[in-house]
Amino acid sequence: MDEKERRYHEKWMAQALGLAKKALAAGQFPVGCVLVSRDEIVGVGSRLNSNGALQNELDHAEILALRDWVSRGRPGQKVIAYSTLEPCLMCAGALLISGIRSIVFGYEDVMGGACGLDKYVPFSASKGKAVCAPLYRDAQVKVIPGILRNESLALFKAYFNKNNNYLKNTLLEEYTLKAK
């Protein structure tokens, strides 16, 4: 990646980091996501309900950014997703199904990140031969990891250094607190 492209991605990742900082300030897991098309933000989301009575695994930043994008009428073409944390399987799948073919993330999710998964791994079998589901077979997905990684890492370290229960004593917490 050349310097111009890196600066472009850093510009939008900085927006995702701003959302993640707000989530952290609200006591939520610090994930922010922005969807960008033609130099314009077309969807935003930050992690909700990572604690408290409504704690769940549905209100991920990427899912909320997709909902925002849909509520705006799905504007733009060639949408790029920027997330402070590598999307999980649910989020990566939702981005892919929504037609988003570029994913940029800051910090690797060693516990649940799905961007390194081979989409050609069989989802079904036919006459004894493994086949990839047609929806994914021809999808060309570009993944760019590590954009503003240190800034993202700092937010996750801050989260895990507080007295939070979400993802406490997990591989992600252990890895993050040791990460440099």
Side-chain angles (χ1 to χ4, degrees):
M1 166 181 344
D2 66 23
E3 189 60 30
K4 182 179 178 183
E5 183 180 4
R6 175 167 286 287
R7 281 195 312 271
Y8 180 83
H9 292 313
E10 286 176 350
K11 169 185 170 182
W12 298 113
M13 184 61 72
Q15 297 295 312
L17 281 163
L19 293 169
K21 287 175 185 175
K22 289 179 183 175
L24 180 63
Q28 299 292 333
F29 195 57
V31 182
C33 178
V34 296
L35 304 179
V36 175
S37 177
R38 297 184 183 189
D39 292 326
E40 183 179 328
I41 293 177
V42 296
V44 298
S46 58
R47 182 67 164 99
L48 291 177
N49 298 316
S50 59
N51 57 40
L54 298 176
Q55 183 175 349
N56 68 71
E57 288 302 329
L58 299 173
D59 295 331
H60 287 202
E62 297 88 347
I63 299 300
L64 297 176
L66 284 168
R67 287 184 183 278
D68 184 41
W69 180 56
V70 168
S71 76
R72 297 179 192 205
R74 295 184 177 179
Q77 296 176 344
K78 295 186 179 181
V79 175
I80 302 172
Y82 291 87
S83 183
T84 56
L85 184 67
E86 177 182 359
C88 69
L89 185 58
M90 173 182 71
C91 294
L95 291 166
L96 184 64
I97 289 169
S98 297
I100 295 172
R101 298 294 187 257
S102 295
I103 300 171
V104 180
F105 65 85
Y107 184 59
E108 64 275 11
D109 182 349
V110 297
M111 187 173 81
C115 288
L117 294 177
D118 184 350
K119 66 180 175 59
Y120 297 102
V121 171
F123 287 92
S124 62
S126 174
K127 296 182 182 179
K129 288 186 174 181
V131 295
C132 181
L135 180 62
Y136 311 105
R137 182 177 19 240
D138 298 321
Q140 298 295 316
V141 181
K142 183 177 182 180
V143 176
I144 301 173
I147 300 297
L148 298 182
R149 180 187 183 274
N150 291 338
E151 292 82 347
S152 294
L153 172 59
L155 293 177
F156 293 108
K157 282 189 177 209
Y159 179 84
F160 286 125
N161 279 317
K162 291 183 178 181
N163 190 19
N164 292 301
N165 290 326
Y166 183 68
L167 297 177
K168 194 79 176 157
N169 301 316
T170 64
L171 174 61
L172 182 59
E173 178 190 41
E174 179 184 335
Y175 178 84
T176 299
L177 292 177
K178 290 179 182 176
K180 296 178 182 180

